[in-house]
Amino acid sequence: MSKLLLALFCTLLAPAAHAAGDALAGRQAFAKCASCHQVSIPRSGFGPHLHALIGRPAAAATDFRYSAAMRNSGLVWTEDALRSFLKAPDTVVPGTSMRFRGIGSEREIDDLLAYLRTLR
Ligand code: HEC
């Protein structure tokens, strides 16, 4: 199969495969992020606040000084973009000031996304 077809195939299948995340488990998993990120009150701390994150353009919190890498990334935080970023922050945004190794478990990312989806 050509790479293009394969990519198309994955794009079509991915949302269905990952649709079910557990928001409650995601809330617990968010403990890893909470030392740097706030969500309940949209206010930035060591990291930018993540309130209403899904669909937000990168570097949009007005009370946070982002790295040039993040400001110039041109990303929009779709679930796909978040999935890639949370797996390997430094690969998706080389030079980001987010010091985080990344999450290896797809399941945990599903749960985190389910939780983040509730923050509107
Ligand atoms: C050690 C602190 C730290 C931890 C832990 C951390 N982050 Fe971050 N995060 C940051 C910083 C700092 C930035 C700003 C990066 C930049 O400007 O390059 C950031 C940026 C982000 C952004 C981009 C936000 C925007 O407004 O564009 C997202 C999304 C994000 N983090 C999600 C998470 C999630 C989800 C977790 C937990 C799995 C997490 N982060 C863990 C410090 C952290």
Side-chain angles (χ1 to χ4, degrees):
M1 205 186 309
S2 81
K3 269 195 182 146
L4 185 68
L5 268 181
L6 192 65
L8 190 68
F9 194 60
C10 293
T11 312
L12 289 175
L13 281 187
H18 298 298
D22 177 347
L24 226 73
R27 191 177 167 171
Q28 282 164 11
F30 193 79
K32 292 185 178 173
C33 325
S35 51
C36 299
H37 291 290
Q38 294 216 9
V39 284
S40 50
I41 310 162
R43 192 172 58 215
S44 301
F46 186 77
H49 77 76
L50 301 183
H51 187 76
L53 176 69
I54 293 174
R56 204 169 94 177
T62 50
D63 59 349
F64 185 78
R65 278 180 65 92
Y66 289 94
S67 65
M70 189 60 80
R71 274 186 276 118
N72 298 329
S73 69
L75 286 171
V76 172
W77 294 123
T78 60
E79 298 199 13
D80 281 351
L82 280 169
R83 184 176 293 282
S84 313
F85 180 67
L86 293 179
K87 271 187 210 159
D90 257 324
T91 309
V92 175
V93 183
T96 178
S97 56
M98 173 155 145
R99 293 280 148 261
F100 186 70
R101 192 149 40 98
I103 298 175
S105 153
E106 289 282 347
R107 171 87 234 184
E108 194 172 332
I109 294 183
D110 286 344
D111 294 344
L112 269 170
L113 287 175
Y115 172 60
L116 288 169
R117 241 179 264 137
T118 66
L119 306 170
R120 319 219 142 245

